[in-house]
């Protein structure tokens, strides 16, 4: 925490000269008309919007990509194994992050080729770059969102029916996408829990039949669950299943 505070103070100190050199008053609110009739904002507002977008980046990473489904399934897997805090939360988040990067790489490549690269080469304005970047991300989210969830939030917001998928606003698509991801994650987690639950029941029944009721079944079943998970190459199955669930 101290290191993050130091970094924040260093960034603030680095911005102070720019703030001191800025024009007084409301110069940052000036808008310059372009030759084609569009409007170009001043650099100060663009930087402000960019910093605001960076602050929303963690939430966008969790709520608009495959991260939510993956991290929930991995957490349920840890609970099914009964290994308490192994793997740790940092390991689970790291696995979910890099697996999400692998799954989302085709979408990110399209965003770079169609929006970011032309913007960096000053071929298109920032507004058009944002619109182009939203197209592949919208396609990914729509592909993973259930129609029932879209209909649910459309009815809540009184939006009515949409003729095409392009008519679905982002404000409606995002909660529908997150709801669908939660449903899918818990469905996958349920299937993962079943074999480990069977092992726990068998061990508990054997201990009760032997009169060893004071011994916790979790202590005996843990080695068997880990052995089963290793023998079936569980990590490869889990990672492959999660990645394949987004490719269909």
């Amino acid at each position: 925490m101290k290191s993050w505070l130091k970094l924040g103070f260093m960034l603030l100190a680095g911005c102070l000269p720019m703030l001191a050199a800025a024009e007084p008053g409301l110069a940052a609110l000036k808008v310059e008309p372009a030759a084609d009739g569009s409007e170009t904002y001043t650099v100060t507002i663009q930087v402000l919007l960019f910093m605001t977008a960076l602050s929303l980046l963690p939430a966008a990473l969790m709520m608009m990509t495959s991260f939510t489904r993956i991290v929930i399934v991995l957490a349920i897997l840890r609970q099914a194994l009964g290994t308490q805090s192994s793997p740790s939360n940092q390991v689970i988040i790291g696995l979910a992050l890099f697996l999400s990067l692998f799954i989302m790489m085709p979408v990110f490549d399209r965003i770079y080729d169609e929006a970011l690269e032309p913007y960096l080469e000053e071929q298109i304005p920032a507004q058009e770059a944002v619109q182009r970047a939203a197209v592949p991300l919208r396609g990914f989210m729509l592909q993973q969102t259930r129609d029932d969830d879209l209909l649910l939030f459309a009815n809540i917001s009184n939006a009515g029916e949409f003729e095409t998928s392009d008519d679905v606003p982002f404000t409606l698509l995002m909660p529908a996408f997150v709801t669908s991801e939660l449903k899918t994650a818990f469905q996958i987690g349920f299937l993962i829990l079943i074999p480990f639950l069977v092992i726990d029941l068998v061990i508990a029944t054997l201990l009760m039949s032997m009169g060893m009721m004071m011994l916790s079944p979790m202590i005996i079943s843990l080695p068997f669950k880990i052995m089963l998970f290793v023998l079936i190459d569980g990590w490869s199955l889990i990672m492959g299943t999660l990645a394949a669930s987004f490719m269909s």
Side-chain angles (χ1 to χ4, degrees), residues 93-160:
I93 293 175
L95 285 173
L97 181 62
F98 285 104
L99 187 57
S100 299
L101 183 62
F102 168 77
I103 294 171
M104 299 296 297
M105 188 55 65
V107 179
F108 293 156
D109 288 339
R110 284 191 58 192
I111 293 176
Y112 179 81
D113 295 335
E114 300 176 6
L116 184 58
E117 186 177 13
Y119 173 71
L120 294 178
E121 295 178 355
E122 299 182 355
Q123 298 177 358
I124 57 175
Q127 293 86 346
E128 185 177 351
V130 172
Q131 293 175 358
R132 290 188 181 185
V135 173
L137 188 60
R138 173 191 290 271
F140 170 80
M141 296 173 67
L142 283 172
Q143 185 179 5
Q144 305 300 325
T145 304
R146 292 177 170 86
D147 294 336
D148 295 340
D149 296 325
L150 281 174
L151 183 61
L152 169 65
F153 287 96
N155 292 333
I156 293 175
S157 61
N158 295 323

Side-chain angles (χ1 to χ4, degrees), residues 76-83 196 218 222 225-226 229 235:
I76 293 177
L77 172 63
R78 182 177 64 181
Q79 186 72 23
L81 287 172
T83 54
F196 298 107
M218 297 295 297
L222 179 60
K225 289 190 289 186
I226 294 178
F229 191 71
W235 286 114

Side-chain angles (χ1 to χ4, degrees), residues 54-245:
L54 285 181
S55 65
L56 298 176
L57 186 60
L61 176 65
M62 291 186 293
M63 298 293 107
M64 300 175 65
T65 65
S66 58
F67 182 86
T68 301
R69 182 189 305 185
I70 296 171
V71 74
I72 290 177
V73 171
L74 292 180
I76 293 177
L77 172 63
R78 182 177 64 181
Q79 186 72 23
L81 287 172
T83 54
Q84 302 298 327
S85 60
S86 181
S88 61
N89 292 332
Q90 292 84 351
V91 174
I92 289 180
I93 293 175
L95 285 173
L97 181 62
F98 285 104
L99 187 57
S100 299
L101 183 62
F102 168 77
I103 294 171
M104 299 296 297
M105 188 55 65
V107 179
F108 293 156
D109 288 339
R110 284 191 58 192
I111 293 176
Y112 179 81
D113 295 335
E114 300 176 6
L116 184 58
E117 186 177 13
Y119 173 71
L120 294 178
E121 295 178 355
E122 299 182 355
Q123 298 177 358
I124 57 175
Q127 293 86 346
E128 185 177 351
V130 172
Q131 293 175 358
R132 290 188 181 185
V135 173
L137 188 60
R138 173 191 290 271
F140 170 80
M141 296 173 67
L142 283 172
Q143 185 179 5
Q144 305 300 325
T145 304
R146 292 177 170 86
D147 294 336
D148 295 340
D149 296 325
L150 281 174
L151 183 61
L152 169 65
F153 287 96
N155 292 333
I156 293 175
S157 61
N158 295 323
E161 297 182 357
F162 303 102
E163 296 181 359
T164 61
S165 59
D166 296 334
D167 298 332
V168 180
F170 251 113
T171 54
L172 190 148
L173 178 59
M174 283 189 290
F177 171 75
V178 174
T179 304
S180 296
E181 287 295 285
L182 290 174
K183 289 181 180 179
T184 305
F186 278 94
Q187 288 175 357
I188 298 176
F190 172 75
L191 297 177
I192 293 174
L193 278 170
I194 290 178
F196 298 107
L197 179 62
V198 171
I199 294 177
D200 288 333
L201 291 175
V202 171
I203 296 298
T205 303
L206 290 176
L207 291 178
M208 290 188 64
S209 63
M210 297 172 61
M212 304 175 64
M213 293 177 293
M214 300 301 294
L215 183 61
S216 175
M218 297 295 297
I219 300 177
I220 307 300
S221 63
L222 179 60
F224 291 98
K225 289 190 289 186
I226 294 178
M227 180 182 65
L228 173 65
F229 191 71
V230 172
L231 289 177
I232 64 175
D233 198 9
W235 286 114
S236 297
L237 289 175
I238 294 296
M239 295 300 178
T241 302
L242 285 173
S245 65

Side-chain angles (χ1 to χ4, degrees), residues 16-49:
L16 286 178
M18 294 185 293
L19 295 175
E23 296 180 6
L26 299 177
L29 299 179
K30 291 182 178 178
V31 179
E32 300 176 0
D36 56 353
S38 61
E39 295 178 342
T40 303
Y41 298 101
T42 58
V43 177
T44 306
I45 295 182
Q46 291 180 1
V47 172
L48 178 62
L49 294 176

